[in-house]
Amino acid sequence: MLARLGVWRAVRIGVRRRMVAAGAVGARAMAAAAWIDETAVVGAGVQVHPSAVIGPGVVVGDGAVIGPGVVIENATLGERVMVEAGTVIGARGFGYLPRVEGVEGEGDAWTVYKPQELSVVVGDDVHLGANVTVDRGSWRETEIRSGSKLDNGVHVGHNVVIGEGTLIAAQSGIAGSCTIGREVLLGGQVGIAQHLVVADGVRVAGKSGVLSDLLEAGAAYGGYPAVRIREFHRMHAMAKRGVERTGGGSE
């Protein structure tokens, strides 16, 4: 059961105890206070802002900053992690399948739901922007490895693994069970389809759609579907010339 933080509450950290301010005074301010489950482990120097929720069994490493309105469940966070306002870590993944002949399992008249019983592991020095969503795993842990930075509004599906030092710009989405390499750069609004592999150091231009594996380390890609960036530029130039020849680009 989640314990409400009033003006002060002692939070267990390993075998030690320390005092955590809720940033609220009086009963009327209780709704804005943070909630930390009694089984959560919160490291030294962690800042937890009002209205954040840290659920059962969650581990938050030393020096982390948990912004207002953040919800963390089924997760382990490393040291110096920064989580901006409104982010949700460890919610159930989108494990629905249409209920058609041959598909069995729990659910309702329309869908079958695959259990999402694993967790999220976030490494050291990770930054998660505002309103990021990271789903917990079903067949493997969802991981965001050390040094990675995710901009506002990024979605990370269940079972995704993101390598060290990867940068992902705003409103990008990574579907379930993808493996993203180290030091990958994804521009804004990039979409990556499920079960794909992106090699180390790959760069993907903004608004691109990745529909197949990108296996050449360090290569640049763009477009929909994403292709090597030189091919994308060539295709764009050809399309532009075709429009100009037909007068489509004239006013």
Side-chain angles (χ1 to χ4, degrees), residues 149-245:
K149 320 295 184 190
L150 278 60
D151 197 0
N152 300 338
V154 169
H155 175 67
V156 179
H158 56 190
N159 312 312
V160 168
V161 175
I162 296 175
E164 292 86 347
T166 287
L167 305 180
I168 303 177
Q171 299 181 348
S172 292
I174 304 174
S177 302
C178 288
T179 301
I180 311 298
R182 297 169 52 98
E183 300 178 11
V184 170
L185 304 179
L186 302 183
Q189 297 186 333
V190 166
I192 301 181
Q194 67 272 17
H195 295 274
L196 297 183
V197 175
V198 177
D200 294 346
V202 163
R203 295 161 290 159
V204 182
K207 292 184 176 293
S208 296
V210 179
L211 304 181
S212 60
D213 294 336
L214 306 181
L215 299 179
E216 185 173 349
Y221 295 84
Y224 186 91
V227 295
R228 289 293 300 272
I229 199 69
R230 288 185 179 179
E231 182 180 354
F232 169 66
H233 289 320
R234 184 172 65 252
M235 293 166 62
H236 179 74
M238 291 173 62
K240 183 178 179 181
R241 286 195 296 269
V243 170
E244 291 172 347
R245 281 198 299 268

Side-chain angles (χ1 to χ4, degrees), residues 93-125:
F94 194 73
Y96 292 99
L97 295 171
R99 186 177 288 280
V100 295
E101 185 176 354
V103 176
E104 298 181 354
E106 296 183 359
D108 53 34
W110 297 272
T111 58
V112 173
Y113 190 75
K114 181 180 180 180
Q116 314 286 302
E117 298 179 349
L118 300 180
S119 66
V120 175
V121 179
V122 178
D124 299 335
D125 301 303

